[in-house]
Each structure stands twice: as C-alpha cells, then as structure tokens.
Amino acid sequence: MSSKIAVVTGGNRGLGKNTVLHLAQKGVDIILTYRSNRTEAEDVVSEVRQMGRKAVALQLDVAESKSFADFAKSVAQELSVNWGREQFDYLVNNAGIGIHAPFAETTEEQFDQLVNIHLKGVYFLTQKLLPFIADGGRIVNISTGLARFALPGYSAYAAMKGGVEVLTRYMAKELGARGIAVNVVAPGAIETDFGQGLVRDNSEINKFIASQTALGRVGLPDDIGGVIASLLSEDNRWINAQRIEASGGMFL
C-alpha cells in the first residue's frame, strides 16, 4: 500500500516545519512550501529524507492567489515524477504571518495583507488543489486561540482566523460527499519567531501567558505539530468540522 502524502504550506519554519517532521515520523511523505527561503526549506527536506521518507519543496506565496493554478500544476508534476500518483492525501493550510497593531491604528494595507494570506489564500488555494486531493483525504486549517479570547492588537489577524473557522465548517459540509474531513487546529501562544518572536523573546509576555495557562507555561512547536499529525491519522478519521484548540488551557 502506498504511503500517504501531505502538502504543508509554510513548512520550512516554525509550526509548519514541526508539523512536517511529526508527519514524517508517522510515515507520511511531504510536499512543503516556502515563500522565499529555499535553503531553509531544503534543510527540512533533508531532515525528512533522513527519516526515510520522500519530500520536496515548492515555492509559493499564499498572498498571490493568481499563482495558485501554476502551483497546482507543479504539485501534479511532483506527484507524477516522485510518487507515480495523481493525488495526495492531506492538506495543511499553515502558512501565515502575524501583524500586531491596535484596532485604531491598523492600516488598510495591513488588513488586506492579512486577508490575502490567511483567508483568501486558504480559500482559493484549497479550491485549486481539490482535484488533487484524494477522496477520503483530510484538510487541516490553522486558526488561533485569539479567535476565542481577545488580546489588544490582534483584531485584524483574529478576524481572519475567525473567518477560517467558519470556512472550515462549510468545507466539511461540501466536501463530505468525497469523504474529505476538514478541521481546525487553533494554537495558543507558542515560542516561535512568529510575530517577531514576541512570545519567545519577551520575558514579561512569556511569564504573563504562562500565568494564565492551566498547564503553567507557554506552548512549544512540539505541542502543535503532534496535534496536527495526530488529527490526520486514521485514529481520528471520524473527527470532522471541529475546532481543536491546543493552548494548554489559556484564559479558562
């Protein structure tokens, strides 16, 4: 039986990289995307191959929806050349950026950038890749704990993720006929370079979040990559249209 194949956007760093490595550990082959740092992406590909799995890296800017049709063709070509297949099994819509700005000061340019990456990008990239997702496959969209609780400075970012959560339920409803399950994973605060490394590098913020988290610390990438990989496994095939928050119990 052929191995499963996952497409992970933004798989060259942070939570995306961690997800890629967790999937590879579970025997999944990988197509990962990167926006600009090819060297970083190829390093992740090498790590996956050292685990005995196949992996390739493709360039993709999820803010540029006009490029999605060509990207889908590239995915199809890689599937044919490297796997002798026409479809892959899992899609993880992970790629994103963080913009911290008060509501009163958020610019239209910042808002549009977040829309293009986090909402429009997820919507139309998934749409273009649908013919290449196998029946019975799975999609995981990434949201945020900020869609449940509110912290000043994240109104635009959280609004996009709230949209992704609603979109996920519609995807699940409309793709159910093909046996495709669609879920959301919503991380809490994680120690990565996301948002200029605010949680990781600012000791006061780190300490505050830890004090407001039931498990007494902020999250680490390993806390999220494992959740996503587990959600894609056959053990969780009956979970669909759900929002799963992985935050250690923030702001309960």
Side-chain angles (χ1 to χ4, degrees):
M1 185 175 179
S2 61
S3 62
K4 300 293 187 181
I5 305 168
V7 173
V8 181
T9 65
N12 58 303
R13 50 182 282 273
L15 299 185
K17 174 183 177 180
N18 195 269
T19 298
V20 164
L21 297 179
H22 273 277
L23 285 168
Q25 288 169 3
K26 290 181 176 292
V28 178
D29 292 341
I30 303 293
I31 298 174
L32 66 92
T33 79
Y34 65 96
R35 185 176 66 87
S36 59
N37 196 327
R38 181 173 183 83
T39 300
E40 200 173 55
E42 291 297 343
D43 287 345
V44 179
V45 167
S46 295
E47 287 189 60
V48 172
R49 290 174 178 170
Q50 288 170 14
M51 297 179 188
R53 306 314 314 168
K54 292 182 180 180
V56 296
L58 295 175
Q59 195 279 331
L60 175 69
D61 186 346
V62 294
E64 297 294 334
S65 59
K66 291 181 180 179
S67 71
F68 294 169
D70 286 340
F71 174 74
K73 291 177 183 177
S74 295
V75 169
Q77 182 178 5
E78 294 295 342
L79 288 170
S80 176
V81 170
N82 292 288
W83 287 275
R85 289 179 53 179
E86 295 181 351
Q87 295 180 310
F88 62 92
D89 304 281
Y90 310 138
L91 172 62
V92 181
N93 284 307
N94 164 79
I97 64 167
I99 292 178
H100 182 268
F103 170 74
E105 299 173 14
T106 298
T107 66
E108 189 171 353
E109 181 181 11
Q110 289 174 320
F111 188 92
D112 288 346
Q113 185 179 18
L114 289 169
V115 168
N116 289 338
I117 293 172
H118 290 286
L119 188 53
K120 184 178 179 180
V122 171
Y123 195 107
F124 288 104
L125 179 61
T126 305
Q127 186 185 81
K128 285 293 187 291
L129 290 176
L130 273 181
F132 306 101
I133 301 177
D135 289 354
R138 292 185 182 81
I139 299 170
V140 172
N141 297 324
I142 305 302
S143 181
T144 174
L146 292 162
R148 172 176 65 84
F149 49 78
L151 290 176
Y154 294 101
S155 61
Y157 173 77
M160 305 313 151
K161 292 301 192 180
V164 166
E165 293 188 6
V166 173
L167 173 62
T168 296
R169 295 196 294 274
Y170 275 83
M171 283 183 178
K173 186 73 169 180
E174 296 193 27
L175 301 182
R178 291 183 52 193
I180 296 174
V182 191
N183 293 287
V184 164
V185 170
I190 307 294
E191 288 188 358
T192 68
D193 59 1
F194 188 81
Q196 291 75 55
L198 189 66
V199 173
R200 180 192 61 197
D201 301 334
N202 188 309
S203 61
E204 290 301 314
I205 289 177
N206 192 295
K207 183 178 179 180
F208 169 73
I209 292 172
S211 72
Q212 298 299 313
T213 302
L215 292 180
R217 62 172 175 84
V218 302
L220 301 172
D222 268 344
D223 296 321
I224 308 302
V227 171
I228 296 169
S230 176
L231 187 56
L232 292 171
S233 74
E234 287 301 309
D235 290 339
N236 290 312
R237 63 185 177 274
W238 200 236
I239 296 177
N240 194 22
Q242 300 303 305
R243 177 189 189 273
I244 298 171
E245 183 170 308
S247 69
M250 281 184 66
F251 299 123
L252 298 179

